[in-house]
Amino acid sequence: MTRLLGAGRVATLVGDFDRSPAYAGLADALILLIGDGRIAVDTRLPSERELTEALSVSRTTVTRAYAALRDAGYAEARRGAGTFTRVPGGRSRAHDRALLPRPGDGDAIDLNCAAPSAPPGIARAYADAVAELPAYLGGHGYFPAGLPSLQAAVAASYDARGLPTSPDQIMVTPGALTAASIVAQAFSGPGDRVLVETPTYPNATDALRHSGARLVPSPVDPDGWDLDSVAATLRQTSPRLAYLIPDFQNPTGHLMTDEQRGSYAAHLRRAHTVAVVDEAHQALALEGQQMPRPFASYAPDTITIGSASKSFWGGLRLGWIRAPRGQMERLTQARVSLDLGAPVLEQLVLARLLADADEILAANRSRLREQRDALAGAVAVHLPEWTFHRPTGGLALWCRLPGAFGTALATEAERRGVIIAPGPVFAAEGGLDRFVRIPWTRPADELTEAVRRIAGAWALVRSQPASTGRVGRVMVA
């Protein structure tokens, strides 16, 4: 079905574009909108006459703007049909052979990767950062702790959440996973016990295993954290670290309350266990609710990991560590054995995004909330036997099946062009095949179609439960 975009809508989207000259400003505005995804690929743009009237510009302005779009690879003219949006390289530009290596993957609805496309504002931040970059080219470009301006911006974000933080407590990293690896190397070693939630973010547990740590699983139930069970596990095992995701836990979506954080912190103190808290989803509160205080407010020795990938864009590839005072030297020694710093350009981009975070995150949350509601509604209609907790934030539904069919279902769904992750992927030590995770990170119409296909796969799996196994995939969880 052809997408149509009215001239009035285009006029609203481009807003007060630069008119010096007007055709170039209009073309730049449209390129940003297509790149950001606010104008979808394969959308028919208004005719030149319609857009001329809507923008109160000359016909020549629109003609030259459309020509500039075509020259830049962001539009194509189809004889007798009009001008349609595209992106340089086509849709396949987004497909990485490590993540989608199999025949047919390029046409599948990929719900294995819980990462949305970029919200409005990302392309503009990159353009502005490129203009700022020359000021840094006279130096060596290595910033193991991060650009001072970005350290200050991240520290200010903690101040705003009620957790006083100085810039020298911040280390900028190439993503949250690198941050987890640095922390694991700095604070754990071969044979050390580390408590991990199960289910949990599998890439982080892999990083802990690579440091030689022995994982101690602590179940997160479909209804949330059982703190009595946590206390018993801590008493019995005395782990050195505890890796926790209290903010829209991945994959369950649970949000730990302030009261639970206080209780959990008290249990950790008694066990002399340091919390490593992953806040990758913290900024994704979809109901406009006030978020609980940071876990480090209750446990000052907490090491906090943050990320720009989920709240802004995965391609930005930046994360950070907020360390207790006195621990940065230890982290730096671990860090320089892995890398010497994050890319300068991306750090300049993130500093700009944090300065405009309220507006950008509001647009992102609005989009994700619409997609969550579409996904939850489709599952309720097409898969009424399934149960799930409806998260108030984060990126995914953790769906409980009537039986241990998760792996078989994922295999059959893949045959029908939908890639999802079964529960065992998120298990610290096996099990959880009664679950699948379905992110709401694709457009609403794709999510509805994906659930329709999954429902067909489910009907077959229930009638033929001995379906073949599924070969594991590389995950960006």
Side-chain angles (χ1 to χ4, degrees), residues 116-141:
S117 59
I122 302 297
R124 173 56 64 190
Y126 266 92
D128 291 343
V130 168
E132 189 179 354
L133 181 62
Y136 292 85
L137 299 180
H140 50 60

Side-chain angles (χ1 to χ4, degrees), residues 12 42 49 71 213 377 440 448:
T12 299
D42 290 333
R49 178 185 59 78
D71 290 344
W440 53 73
T448 301

Side-chain angles (χ1 to χ4, degrees), residues 6 16 59 100 120 228 237 301 307 362 394 419:
D16 187 20
R59 180 73 171 265
L100 299 174
D228 290 336
T237 61
D301 61 347
S307 174
I419 304 171

